[in-house]
Amino acid sequence: MTEESRPADLVFTGGRVHTVNARDRIAEAVAVRDGKIARVGTDGEITPLVGKGTRIVRLRGRSLVPGINDSHLHGVWLGLMWPGLLMDQLAGTGGHTHDTPTRLEGAEQRRRAILRTADLLASFGVTSYTEPGLGPGEDDGASGCFGSAALRDYADLAAEGLLKARVTALMLFGELDGRSSAAEFAEGLRDFKPPADVPGRFRVAGVKIFADGIPPMKTAWTDRPYGDGTYGSLLIEGESDGEREAALRAMIDAAHAAGHQIGVHATGDRTTRVVAEAFSTALAREGRDARHYIIHGDLLSPQTLTVLASGGIGLNTQAGIPVATEPMLAAALGEEALRDAWPTRDALDAGVRLCLSSDAPVLTPDWRAGLAAAVTRRGLDGAVRGQAQRLAVTEALRAYTITPAWQDGADDWKGSIEPGKVADLCVLDGDLHDVEPEALPSLPVAMTVLDGEPVYES
Ligand SMILES: [Zn+2]
């Protein structure tokens, strides 16, 4: 028997398989063998691979999509908070405000939080996520969720085979949502030794930098003044805007030279412009496939989008943020500012690699809610915010699968349903294209598969 004709371990037939390949092909059936996608095609092409030991999942018209990749999600923190969410608390609508723990105690609780998050994510169809910012900058942090010990916990759990998701981590040498300095950052780059990668399951890919805050708090660094005449500023230590900008550029240069991927929290239009330029400068000096990216990018001018696109720099944003907070941004910076706010459509049209994520526990880790927000831009109050920036379902699905795989430097082996790639899959009880976009969050997740093994079944 040739390798090609050896029976599959698992096959899916009679469905709508959203392959998310380069042409967004829809197939009917998939065969999985040894944890990998063996074949994608019609039922007729797949059934010859059914043998005695093959498990058959009859999709009966339901959807199969690649395992979802939530490319910006605080896993330890979510495991502590869930079902509490920050946005619920901010909006005053959550029922969990009073009983949500705010501090994690000890190694055992931290491990439990990570495992709890992985179980939760499996129930949503999520098979990969990025933990954006763990490290020595938060070793004495108030929540206990972002210190360097969590990097070791992830590595240990992955090595023990207990981590039911693929996790990419970014190191943090300053405070989460807080200050940092070029000096302590350089020290971190030089002295901090992250745990070794666990192939396929855990990888420390690079560093996270908090460049500024957020517009509603008047802490985003902007071109337009806030109502009180201020412009916000960078969070990097320095005596003036010029010094702070120079320090940020030096940090980006140093991390790039050290071979790291860099994700920068940047929300104000002045910050996103400076970060995009700094990435471009670093890449021009030493070209490599670095996959740097801007996180959030609330305000992005058309010129900045062009710099991102031409530099191969990604944008990682959360569609749930504009639908919930656009009025706050308009109140802080005026209606005019909305022109360049959360430009997901413009980013794709400009050729920027766009990832959508949850930032959980800021927003719900339910990607279906994020997908619906990206497609409708409709908030829970029914108002549409940024109608011109809406995405097609297919585009939003790419932003939760293949483009995050690109962000992970892993688009050659995960992120789409193509032969040879790992069998990370999600079965939906229905089809993404058959339901009204508003109803996408009600499409049940029936099954989640990681490396060819079911990790969740409803
Ligand atoms: Zn975040």
Side-chain angles (χ1 to χ4, degrees), residues 77-88:
W77 194 19
L78 175 62
L80 175 72
M81 292 269 297
W82 180 257
L85 298 172
L86 255 65
M87 208 54 116
D88 285 349

Side-chain angles (χ1 to χ4, degrees), residues 120-456:
L120 174 69
L121 295 179
S123 76
F124 286 131
V126 175
T127 53
S128 291
Y129 67 94
T130 286
E131 172 77 74
L134 299 175
E138 277 284 334
D139 280 350
D140 301 318
S143 73
C145 291
F146 311 103
S148 47
L151 288 171
R152 288 193 298 275
D153 291 335
Y154 270 114
D156 290 347
L157 289 167
E160 291 160 27
L162 297 174
L163 192 58
K164 280 191 239 161
R166 307 184 195 280
V167 178
T168 303
L170 298 180
M171 296 178 285
L172 186 63
F173 299 130
E175 290 169 23
L176 192 95
D177 282 316
R179 309 202 71 80
S180 60
S181 74
E184 75 186 349
F185 188 79
E187 192 182 298
L189 284 180
R190 192 188 60 224
D191 298 340
F192 183 70
K193 297 277 173 281
D197 296 348
V198 179
R201 286 300 169 100
F202 179 68
R203 176 168 174 254
V204 179
V207 295
K208 165 83 174 278
I209 296 171
F210 282 89
D212 66 355
I214 55 172
M217 306 294 287
K218 300 183 186 168
T219 49
W221 192 36
T222 54
D223 286 322
R224 243 184 223 96
Y226 294 102
D228 59 4
T230 60
Y231 292 85
S233 75
L234 293 176
L235 284 165
I236 322 298
E237 273 179 18
E239 296 297 316
S240 63
D241 283 336
E243 271 189 40
R244 288 185 283 268
E245 181 181 325
L248 174 60
R249 288 177 184 267
M251 287 159 72
I252 288 173
D253 276 348
H256 180 78
H260 292 299
Q261 180 185 39
I262 309 166
V264 181
H265 170 119
T267 66
D269 41 6
R270 214 162 161 188
T271 310
T272 55
R273 182 174 68 241
V274 165
V275 171
E277 284 170 5
F279 280 154
S280 293
T281 306
L283 287 160
R285 188 174 308 130
E286 188 208 332
R288 65 181 169 88
D289 195 1
R291 310 203 175 182
H292 300 322
Y293 58 103
I294 282 183
I295 298 164
H296 306 310
D298 298 33
L299 294 169
L300 287 156
S301 73
Q303 296 87 322
T304 300
L305 290 177
T306 304
V307 175
L308 295 181
S310 61
I313 301 156
L315 169 62
N316 191 308
T317 195
Q318 298 79 33
I321 299 281
V323 302
T325 70
E326 190 195 82
M328 290 188 242
L329 185 133
L333 288 164
E335 294 283 332
E336 274 277 285
L338 295 181
R339 224 179 32 214
D340 292 341
W342 302 287
T344 43
R345 165 90 273 140
D346 294 348
L348 277 188
D349 290 349
V352 178
R353 296 185 191 259
L354 174 74
C355 290
L356 294 174
S357 58
S358 70
D359 202 6
V362 173
L363 299 169
T364 172
D366 184 346
W367 64 279
R368 296 166 300 179
L371 189 93
V375 171
T376 66
R377 296 285 280 228
R378 191 183 293 281
L380 290 176
D381 59 358
V384 173
R385 305 210 155 93
Q387 171 145 351
Q389 300 301 334
R390 289 177 303 176
L391 303 182
V393 170
T394 307
E395 291 169 329
L397 183 61
R398 295 186 75 83
Y400 276 106
T401 53
I402 189 66
T403 313
W406 171 86
Q407 180 185 291
D408 289 341
D411 46 325
D412 57 338
W413 60 269
K414 70 173 185 181
S416 62
I417 304 176
E418 296 180 87
K421 287 198 170 182
V422 290
D424 292 358
L425 304 162
C426 166
V427 178
L428 294 170
D429 251 335
D431 191 75
L432 292 170
H433 295 294
D434 290 345
V435 299
E436 288 300 317
E438 278 80 1
L440 286 167
S442 63
L443 258 189
V445 172
M447 185 179 189
T448 306
V449 173
L450 178 68
D451 271 331
E453 299 289 337
V455 288
Y456 170 79

